[in-house]
Amino acid sequence: RKEVEQDPGPFNVPEGATVAFNCTYSNSASQSFFWYRQDCRKEPKLLMSVYSSGNEDGRFTAQLNRASQYISLLIRDSKLSDSATYLCVGMNTGFQKLVFGTGTRLLVSP
Amino acid sequence: NAGVTQTPKFQVLKTGQSMTLQCAQDMNHEYMSWYRQDPGMGLRLIHYSVGAGITDQGEVPNGYNVSRSTTEDFPLRLLSAAPSQTSVYFCASSPGTGIEQYFGPGTRLTVT
């Protein structure tokens, strides 16, 4: 079983829709979590960190449920420019032990 | 600031050849890492460094060497290329643990 698992998608949604992705993790020692965004044939870029209390950045909301060991990302009012692959990332104890999920692909259509 | 730069962008090697992928950052970050990205596998950590002169192995280190003689540079050396090393390689740097990693644009390597 992969340490961080994501539904690969693709999620096809119209502009303006709300879409949510979940990500599950198996290592209860994972301390920190992040969502990265990766455009086609580009490098990953940090979208947002995920805090236990939940956090929001504009149209994006991230939540962490430690009891059930999952992380979620909610995107409201989807834009065409949101089309990308979203990578769920966990960080275990120790330096830079980032564990990446395989990504969820989002396609936003007009 | 150029951020994290990687060269070359594309490379084709024959099995058994060796080469070095270059990575440099101008943000004075202490932490640098190399990842490979393969379809269906996600990014996997090859080697990392917590500062000049210090390196350690990640999840998939076999067939790769690294060195960190300066804060800025973190080259990745393929000792004897194999088709299984066909992948996209990303270098990343970070000012500290648990903090955003900045990725370079990647090197697309094909080994025939």
Side-chain angles (χ1 to χ4, degrees):
Chain A
R1 182 185 173 188
K2 291 181 182 167
E3 197 166 328
V4 175
E5 294 204 64
Q6 297 181 251
D7 181 343
F11 284 60
N12 290 285
V13 301
E15 266 187 297
T18 295
V19 61
F21 312 134
N22 280 342
C23 161
T24 59
Y25 64 94
S26 59
N27 188 345
S28 58
S30 296
Q31 294 183 326
S32 303
F33 299 91
F34 309 89
W35 283 102
Y36 276 73
R37 171 195 168 125
Q38 186 172 25
D39 293 299
C40 188
R41 301 180 73 78
K42 298 286 190 181
E43 70 273 23
K45 293 184 179 178
L46 180 69
L47 178 65
M48 58 196 305
S49 301
V50 185
Y51 304 124
S52 296
S53 55
N55 49 300
E56 190 173 303
D57 183 1
R59 297 182 293 109
F60 299 85
T61 300
Q63 294 204 310
L64 167 62
N65 184 318
R66 287 196 185 274
S68 301
Q69 295 189 194
Y70 77 82
I71 305 106
S72 65
L73 177 67
L74 181 78
I75 305 175
R76 290 180 298 279
D77 189 22
S78 298
K79 311 290 185 193
L80 294 176
S81 57
D82 293 334
S83 296
T85 296
Y86 292 84
L87 306 174
C88 176
V89 185
M91 191 185 78
N92 301 336
T93 54
F95 164 67
Q96 298 295 316
K97 299 294 186 185
L98 291 183
V99 180
F100 285 79
T102 54
T104 297
R105 191 164 172 221
L106 172 65
L107 297 172
V108 181
S109 54
Chain B
N1 276 355
V4 180
T5 57
Q6 291 183 238
T7 56
K9 284 189 168 52
F10 302 93
Q11 183 70 49
V12 178
L13 290 178
K14 293 189 187 321
T15 296
Q17 287 184 314
S18 64
M19 79 157 295
T20 300
L21 307 186
Q22 301 292 343
C23 174
Q25 52 94 6
D26 62 0
M27 298 175 282
N28 202 32
H29 288 171
E30 288 296 321
Y31 304 96
M32 297 186 74
S33 310
W34 275 103
Y35 296 86
R36 59 177 290 174
Q37 186 173 34
D38 304 291
M41 299 292 291
L43 283 113
R44 292 180 291 169
L45 183 64
I46 304 172
H47 285 286
Y48 64 97
S49 168
V50 300
I54 307 169
T55 64
D56 206 346
Q57 296 181 348
E59 182 185 354
V60 288
N62 292 343
Y64 307 95
N65 273 356
V66 291
S67 59
R68 184 97 181 270
S69 55
T70 67
T71 299
E72 294 78 21
D73 300 299
F74 191 43
L76 177 74
R77 184 165 179 81
L78 278 70
L79 307 172
S80 177
S84 60
Q85 293 178 306
T86 293
S87 187
V88 181
Y89 290 85
F90 288 103
C91 177
S93 74
S94 171
T97 57
I99 301 173
E100 176 179 5
Q101 292 206 34
Y102 296 82
F103 285 82
T107 294
R108 283 170 172 75
L109 175 69
T110 301
V111 183
T112 60

